[in-house]
Amino acid sequence: MDITKLCFDATFDLPGWALLMKNIAPNALHDSKARYDAPKCDEDTRVEVIDEIMERMQDPDAPQRLLCMTGAAGSGKSALQQTIAERCTKSKILSAAFFLSSTDPTRNNTSFIVPTIAYQIGLKHRLFRSSVAAAVTHDPYVFSRSLKSQMDVLIVRPFESVQSSQQIGNTFPYAILIDGLDECNGAPNTASGITPGITPVDVDDRRRAEDQQEELLAAIKHCILDNDLPFRVFIASRPEWAIHTALAPGGLLREAAYHIQLSHKYDASKDMRRYLRRRFEDIGLRIGNPQWFSEGDIGTLVGAASGQFIYVATAYKYISERRASPEKMLKIVLTWTPHEGQATRPFETLDRLYTNILLAAKYAYEAVESHHGRDFLLLLKAHHVGVTGFDNLPFVIAEYPAADLLSAMLCLEARAEETLISDLRSLVALETDDDGDLCLRLYHKSFSDFLQEPSRAKDLFVPEDRVYMHLASCFMQQIIECPLDFDSLPAKWEELPLPELYRRSLQEAVEDLPSFLNGAPATDEEVVGFTQNGGWQKINNLLPLLYFKQERFYGGDDWMGALQNLTDRLKARKPEAAAVISAFVEKWKNDGKQSNAKSRR
C-alpha cells in the first residue's frame, strides 16, 4: 500500500482501532525503542539453526505451522529470534512479533499479546484493520476476555473477512514471532490504564505464570492451527513447565509443533569463537595492540561457556570496559574459569563470573569512606527487587519504583544508584524509560535468576525479607527525621517545602510502611522507637494532605488492615506500642468514615 494513502487512511481514526491501540505493548515490538540495540546474531554465526528456521517459516508445504525453539538461559534464543524477525521483515513475511520481558510490566504477562499482534497485522492490511476496529467497537470489553476469545475476535474472524473478500493475495505476511514465553511471570498489568482484576494475596505467582503460558499455547493451537489459518508461528522459550509439558509425549503441541532444541543439537562453539575474535580484534585496533589476546584465550573462554552465549557476551562486556585495561580484565576473567577435571554444574562458570564481579564491586563500594556501614549486596538486592516488583507484599503502592526514587526511599544521597552500579556495568545499566523514569536494566535474565537463587548466589544471596526490613527501617527514619514543622503544614502535599524526590519518597514511606512492617517481622524494637519518637503522630499530620484532600480516604481499608495486622502481632510482645498504634488506627478509621460520608453528600 502506498505510504501516502496509509497516512490518510480513515480506518486509523475509527474508535475501535483507537481503543485497540490503548491495549497494546509498543515495547514488545521487535524494533521498539525500548529494545534498542537488542542482541542479534553476527552475520555468519548460528547459520545452521537460522537456515533451518527460515526454511521452515518459508516452506508452504512444511507439515507443521508452529515452530517452538527451546534452550537454556543464555543459549542465544532472543538473539536468534531478533535475527529471524529482521530476516522476515526483509523478506516481507513478518506479520507480527512480541518480545516478552519479565522486567517490563507492559510485557511480562499475556494481557497485551493478542491485541499487539492484531495491531501489527492491521497495519499491513486495511480490511483486516477495519474488521478489528468494528469488532472492538462491538465489544469494547474484549480485552478482558480469555486469550482464546481475544484471538478469535481480533485475529481469526478479521482474517476470515479478508479471505472471504478475496483480497488476501499471495503477499499477505504470515510469520508471527513470540519470544521469551518463560518471561511471562503472571504479574498483573497496570500500565495500560485498564483497571486490573484484584489478585488474591495468596495466589501462587509461579502457578499463575504457568497458567498464562499454557493458556496462550492453547489459544494458538485452537484458534490458529485448528482453524487452518495460513500463519506460521515461531515461539522461543526456556524449556520451563508450560512449553515442556505441551511438547512432551501426549502434550497439547506434541504433534502440531516442530521442536528445535538449541542445547541438544547445535554446537555454538565456532560461532562464539567468531563472536569473541571479531570483538577482540576491534579492541586491538582501539588500543593499538592486535596481539593483546591469543587464540588460546578465546578457546579457554569458549570452553568455559558450556554452550551458553551469555557467558562470552558477559565476559566481553567486562573485558571491554572502556576505562580499564583489556589485557588485565581478560587475565582476571581467565583466572575465574574452573580448572580441568573439576566437577561442574550447568551454571558453575557463569555463577563464578557473577560472584567475582559482585565481590569486586562490593569491596570497591564499601571501601569508600562515605559508604561506611552500608551493605552493598543489600542495596543491590533492593534495586533488583525494585525491578522484579514488590509483588510479594500486599498493598504496596510503588511495586516498580524508579531507581532514583528507590535510592531516596533507601535514605541514600542523590545519584546513589549510579555509584552503586559503577562496577557492575558488564551486568546492568541505568536507562531512562519512555516516562522519563530512571530504571535499572539487567542485561541477562540469568543474572536475575542468580540473585534470586540461594544455591547459586551462596554467600552473596540476600533474602527479600531483609530488603523489606531495611526499607521499613528507612521509612521510619525518613518520617522521624523529616525536616518539616509538623504543627504548621501547608494545605496541599505539593506545597511541602521539600525537594520533589524527597517529597515522593516521603509519600511512599507513609503509604507503604504498614506493608513493609508486615513483611519484616524482626523490626519490633524499631517500631517501639518509632512510636516513642512520635512517628505515628507525624503520619497523622501528613495523612490529610495525602488522602483527605479529595474528601475521600481512598487508601483506607488496605492500609488500615496492614496496620491492624501489625498491631495484633505486637500485642503480646510490645503491648504499649500496640496500644498507641491501635488508638491511631481507630482515629483514622473514624476520619475515613467521616470523609467518605462527606463525599456522598
Side-chain angles (χ1 to χ4, degrees):
M1 179 180 292
D2 182 82
I3 190 66
T4 306
K5 294 180 181 178
L6 185 67
C7 292
F8 293 95
D9 195 323
T11 57
F12 285 106
D13 294 327
L14 293 174
W17 188 255
L19 183 55
L20 177 83
M21 291 180 64
K22 293 180 180 179
N23 288 273
I24 69 169
N27 287 0
L29 306 183
H30 84 279
D31 55 356
S32 163
K33 183 172 66 174
R35 302 187 63 255
Y36 170 74
D37 199 27
K40 61 181 178 180
C41 303
D42 283 4
E43 185 175 353
D44 57 353
T45 63
R46 314 307 293 267
V47 173
E48 183 182 2
V49 65
I50 291 172
D51 285 350
E52 180 175 1
I53 294 168
M54 289 303 297
E55 181 180 345
R56 288 271 169 176
M57 294 295 288
Q58 293 175 310
D59 182 5
D61 298 322
Q64 293 104 342
R65 286 176 289 112
L66 172 64
L67 283 73
C68 292
M69 178 174 65
T70 61
S75 55
K77 299 180 299 299
S78 291
L80 280 164
Q81 188 73 291
Q82 180 68 25
T83 301
I84 297 299
E86 294 180 7
R87 291 276 186 97
C88 290
T89 299
K90 187 175 182 180
S91 301
K92 298 183 179 180
I93 65 170
L94 182 67
S95 189
F98 195 102
F99 284 74
L100 287 107
S101 172
S102 63
T103 61
D104 185 336
T106 69
R107 52 191 178 111
N108 67 0
N109 59 85
T110 57
S111 300
F112 289 163
I113 291 181
V114 177
T116 305
I117 290 174
Y119 164 78
Q120 292 174 82
I121 300 174
L123 291 181
K124 299 172 175 69
H125 200 284
R126 183 180 181 279
L127 180 56
F128 185 96
R129 183 166 62 253
S130 62
S131 297
V132 170
V136 174
T137 301
H138 175 71
D139 182 8
Y141 294 103
V142 63
F143 308 107
S144 64
R145 302 191 186 281
S146 69
L147 293 181
K148 183 175 180 294
S149 295
Q150 289 185 47
M151 201 168 287
D152 183 56
V153 171
L154 300 177
I155 296 177
V156 176
R157 294 183 197 172
F159 186 81
E160 289 175 345
S161 295
V162 175
Q163 278 185 315
S164 63
S165 71
Q166 299 183 344
Q167 293 184 25
I168 188 169
N170 296 320
T171 60
F172 195 93
Y174 55 82
I176 297 176
L177 313 181
I178 298 174
D179 181 67
L181 183 67
D182 54 281
E183 298 271 324
C184 172
N185 60 23
N189 171 53
T190 58
S192 69
I194 301 171
T195 303
I198 298 174
T199 305
V201 175
D202 61 351
V203 168
D204 186 317
D205 288 341
R206 180 177 292 274
R207 178 62 62 85
R208 185 170 69 242
E210 292 171 347
D211 288 347
Q212 287 191 11
Q213 294 168 24
E214 185 180 32
E215 183 189 7
L216 177 62
L217 294 174
I220 290 171
K221 167 69 165 56
H222 295 308
C223 294
I224 294 180
L225 303 184
D226 291 353
N227 280 302
D228 202 29
L229 299 189
F231 292 106
R232 293 192 173 270
V233 183
F234 178 32
I235 300 173
S237 176
R238 291 169 62 183
E240 295 187 350
W241 181 85
I243 198 161
H244 174 78
T245 303
L247 295 172
L252 176 72
L253 302 177
R254 176 69 176 185
E255 303 301 326
Y258 181 78
H259 187 191
I260 298 173
Q261 296 173 281
L262 286 182
S263 303
H264 295 176
K265 181 178 177 181
Y266 302 94
D267 181 7
S269 298
K270 291 182 180 179
D271 292 333
M272 287 191 284
R273 285 180 180 274
R274 292 190 188 96
Y275 173 92
L276 287 174
R277 188 181 297 112
R278 283 176 176 169
R279 284 153 180 78
F280 284 5
E281 288 172 351
D282 289 343
I283 291 176
L285 291 174
R286 175 167 60 85
I287 65 176
N289 178 16
Q291 277 77 46
W292 75 275
F293 70 97
S294 71
E295 286 296 318
D297 295 336
I298 291 178
T300 300
L301 291 172
V302 171
S306 301
Q308 305 304 297
F309 252 96
I310 193 172
Y311 180 87
V312 294
T314 304
Y316 168 70
K317 282 183 178 290
Y318 183 75
I319 292 165
S320 61
E321 174 60 45
R322 66 184 62 181
R323 291 181 176 82
S325 162
E327 297 98 324
K328 181 178 179 181
M329 303 299 269
L330 174 60
K331 184 177 180 180
I332 292 172
V333 171
L334 290 172
T335 61
W336 289 348
T337 56
H339 300 293
E340 187 176 353
Q342 276 186 317
T344 59
R345 306 198 319 262
F347 295 103
E348 185 175 69
T349 300
L350 186 56
D351 293 349
R352 180 183 290 269
L353 180 63
Y354 288 155
T355 297
N356 283 276
I357 292 175
L358 278 175
L359 281 175
K362 169 183 165 63
Y363 295 147
Y365 182 85
E366 294 179 355
V368 177
E369 185 176 352
S370 61
H371 300 161
H372 181 71
R374 293 184 183 177
D375 186 329
F376 170 84
L377 293 173
L378 176 60
L379 297 177
L380 178 64
K381 181 61 178 241
H383 276 279
H384 176 246
V385 178
V387 171
T388 58
F390 292 102
D391 51 9
N392 287 336
L393 291 179
F395 319 131
V396 172
I397 306 301
E399 288 188 22
Y400 299 90
D404 51 353
L405 174 59
L406 184 53
S407 287
M409 291 161 61
L410 291 163
C411 296
L412 301 177
E413 69 280 0
R415 306 175 72 88
E417 62 282 350
E418 296 181 8
T419 306
L420 187 71
I421 70 155
S422 60
D423 291 291
L424 295 175
R425 298 189 188 279
S426 59
L427 302 176
V428 302
L430 285 168
E431 300 177 345
T432 302
D433 64 15
D434 291 341
D435 295 325
D437 291 328
L438 191 65
C439 299
L440 184 69
R441 175 191 174 197
L442 280 69
Y443 287 128
H444 305 299
K445 173 74 159 56
S446 62
F447 180 51
S448 182
D449 294 341
F450 172 85
L451 293 175
Q452 292 174 308
E453 178 52 57
S455 66
R456 295 182 63 191
K458 298 181 179 177
D459 293 341
L460 302 182
F461 177 72
V462 178
E464 282 195 17
D465 61 0
R466 275 197 62 203
V467 174
Y468 303 152
M469 183 166 58
H470 185 65
L471 273 166
S473 299
C474 291
F475 287 162
M476 290 187 285
Q477 175 188 341
Q478 191 168 33
I479 293 168
I480 289 295
E481 298 179 358
C482 183
L484 290 173
D485 181 357
F486 282 83
D487 295 324
S488 181
L489 295 173
K492 297 181 179 179
W493 184 267
E494 293 76 15
E495 295 174 355
L496 289 176
L498 298 170
E500 181 183 358
L501 193 60
Y502 192 116
R503 194 165 58 242
R504 290 168 58 199
S505 176
L506 181 63
Q507 179 175 349
E508 296 299 336
V510 173
E511 292 179 337
D512 291 343
L513 179 60
S515 290
F516 280 94
L517 285 175
N518 276 292
T523 57
D524 289 3
E525 293 299 330
E526 290 184 78
V527 172
V528 171
F530 181 73
T531 304
Q532 292 173 345
N533 282 285
W536 302 108
Q537 180 60 53
K538 291 185 176 182
I539 289 179
N540 180 70
N541 291 2
L542 291 169
L543 279 179
L545 280 69
L546 279 173
Y547 294 120
F548 297 113
K549 60 183 179 181
Q550 296 179 350
E551 298 184 335
R552 183 183 175 94
F553 189 56
Y554 56 81
D557 293 342
D558 294 344
W559 191 83
M560 223 75 78
L563 272 181
Q564 191 63 59
N565 291 339
L566 171 66
T567 304
D568 294 342
R569 194 188 81 204
L570 288 174
K571 280 180 180 176
R573 298 193 299 271
K574 305 293 179 183
E576 295 85 359
V580 173
I581 300 171
S582 292
F584 277 106
V585 169
E586 289 304 313
K587 177 186 183 301
W588 294 330
K589 284 181 179 178
N590 290 331
D591 290 345
K593 289 178 182 178
Q594 293 176 16
S595 177
N596 290 338
K598 184 178 179 181
S599 68
R600 289 194 293 267
R601 290 173 190 164

